[in-house]
Amino acid sequence: MGWCSATFIFDKITGALLTDTPPDRKVILKAVAEALEEEDWDCQRESEYWSHPLVREVMREMHPTWFE
């Protein structure tokens, strides 16, 4: 048994990492979050990193209404 949708997640993250310039942590976090959300991730607030400032910044950009 496999999880074929994981290929999309792997490709999205790998694409953000394999650039000609050094990868930016924020770009990587956003790629991870977007890829997971496209596969129906809906428990972001349960991450043990939810309170990390960079994670909050990425989530605020992706979902500004969550922080109103």
Side-chain angles (χ1 to χ4, degrees):
M1 232 160 53
W3 183 36
C4 197
S5 60
T7 303
F8 169 79
I9 296 168
F10 178 83
D11 288 350
K12 182 118 180 174
I13 296 164
T14 301
L17 283 169
L18 299 179
T19 62
D20 293 333
T21 58
D24 178 280
R25 292 187 319 160
K26 183 176 173 182
V27 170
I28 302 304
L29 285 173
K30 190 168 186 178
V32 170
E34 288 174 343
L36 291 171
E37 287 182 4
E38 288 180 33
E39 296 300 322
D40 296 326
W41 183 41
D42 63 356
C43 50
Q44 297 85 333
R45 290 177 178 92
E46 293 178 22
S47 167
E48 60 184 82
Y49 297 100
W50 177 254
S51 295
H52 188 282
L54 189 55
V55 172
R56 297 293 280 218
E57 183 178 340
V58 167
M59 290 299 172
R60 232 180 239 111
E61 287 180 13
M62 292 176 62
H63 306 287
T65 60
W66 289 2
F67 299 91
E68 292 180 343

